Amino acid sequence: MANRHFLNFKSSCLWQGFWRGNVPALLMVVPYTSIQFAVLHKVKSFAAGSSKAENHAQLSPYLSYISGALAGCAATVGSYPFDLLRTVLASQGEPKVYPNMRSAFLSIVQTRGIKGLYAGLSPTLIEIIPYAGLQFGTYDTFKRWSMVYNKRYRSSSSSSTNPSDSLSSFQLFLCGLASGTVSKLVCHPLDVVKKRFQVEGLQRHPKYGARVELNAYKNMFDGLGQILRSEGWHGLYKGIVPSTIKAAPAGAVTFVAYELASDWFEANLT
């Protein structure tokens, strides 16, 4: 009986490990997504001279990339401490250094000051510029291609008397999925270096990998070079599969929700 309870407890602990850092991750996504899409809408409205979605769709790919990069930078700065806490809690392993988010927050502030909550912000911004730019830029590109396809297909269909280039929720989802996959595959090495900066000095059991010492990397490019020399190209793509599985569908759902919410607000509040 005692062994059964022990095994059940051990199994429960193992499953809980998949949700390490979940609280700061949830706290991060609200301000991050809100800031990101608010800035994106403002920048696109300024560039297009209109706040209407159909006019935003006509922007050049270049402006779509710029808009996405600016939105990503603003969202990153506004939510970064939660991103850092999420990474620290998820990386610490067992035995835990920080039992909860409050403990991690206070320890980082006490030992490294407020600036400790922004450790790795510079490489993160360097990463987010191409990542967000690619994500939003390729999303708009895939949307334009899908709209052209719809217009041609429906105009050639004998059953269609009112050809339209509007996209279904499923098509929007596919566009978001494709853009999330492309941006993650291209920018993952920068994400690896960002996380190394975030866990600098973190104490953890050796079985979870070598500790990243404080000031191990001078900057983003030094980090890329050191990882490449010591771990090879595969070191820059560690975790690429679970990262893509997480980022691509999450981005797709976010895009669909944004598009549907935008259409609703435009129809009911204008």
Side-chain angles (χ1 to χ4, degrees), residues 23-268:
V23 173
L26 292 174
L27 292 175
M28 177 195 76
V29 75
V30 174
Y32 184 91
T33 306
S34 301
I35 296 171
Q36 185 180 47
F37 282 103
V39 173
L40 180 73
H41 183 76
K42 288 293 184 183
V43 174
K44 282 190 171 183
S45 296
F46 175 79
S50 169
S51 61
K52 294 184 178 296
E54 59 265 25
N55 294 325
H56 293 179
Q58 305 304 318
L59 289 175
S60 68
Y62 174 77
L63 287 175
S64 293
Y65 282 94
I66 294 297
S67 300
L70 291 175
C73 286
T76 297
V77 173
S79 62
Y80 189 78
F82 293 115
D83 185 23
L84 182 134
L85 290 170
R86 173 192 61 174
T87 301
V88 167
L89 291 175
S91 303
Q92 62 181 338
E94 294 287 350
K96 293 181 179 179
V97 179
Y98 308 116
N100 51 50
M101 185 177 69
R102 180 176 179 275
S103 173
F105 174 83
L106 293 175
S107 178
I108 291 172
V109 171
Q110 288 170 1
T111 57
R112 301 167 68 179
I114 294 297
K115 68 178 183 179
L117 295 173
Y118 290 88
L121 177 60
S122 295
T124 301
L125 290 175
I126 293 174
E127 176 220 0
I128 203 65
I129 290 173
Y131 179 80
L134 273 172
Q135 186 180 35
F136 285 99
T138 54
Y139 175 74
D140 285 344
T141 299
F142 287 133
K143 269 186 65 178
R144 280 191 287 269
W145 290 349
S146 299
M147 291 167 71
V148 170
Y149 169 81
N150 280 0
K151 197 168 186 178
R152 290 178 179 174
Y153 173 77
R154 291 172 182 174
S155 62
S156 62
S157 174
S158 58
S159 61
S160 177
T161 57
N162 185 26
S164 172
D165 59 358
S166 60
L167 303 183
S168 67
S169 296
F170 181 68
Q171 286 179 308
L172 292 172
F173 181 86
L174 290 180
C175 290
L177 193 70
S179 67
T181 302
V182 170
S183 54
K184 177 54 67 176
L185 291 176
V186 172
C187 299
H188 187 73
L190 300 178
D191 189 50
V192 170
V193 179
K194 177 196 81 171
K195 285 182 168 56
R196 298 287 179 94
F197 273 96
Q198 290 181 331
V199 298
E200 279 185 339
L202 175 65
Q203 299 283 354
R204 62 179 182 176
H205 195 281
K207 71 178 180 180
Y208 294 101
R211 174 187 175 188
V212 180
E213 300 295 337
L214 281 172
N215 303 316
Y217 309 124
K218 297 176 183 177
N219 50 51
M220 169 73 79
F221 301 104
D222 180 56
L224 286 170
Q226 287 195 44
I227 294 172
L228 187 60
R229 288 191 296 271
S230 61
E231 303 173 42
W233 282 102
H234 71 276
L236 295 174
Y237 283 90
K238 285 182 175 177
I240 182 63
V241 174
S243 185
T244 304
I245 292 174
K246 172 212 166 202
V253 171
T254 301
F255 276 121
V256 172
Y258 171 73
E259 295 280 7
L260 295 178
S262 296
D263 290 344
W264 186 89
F265 281 115
E266 190 170 321
N268 292 274

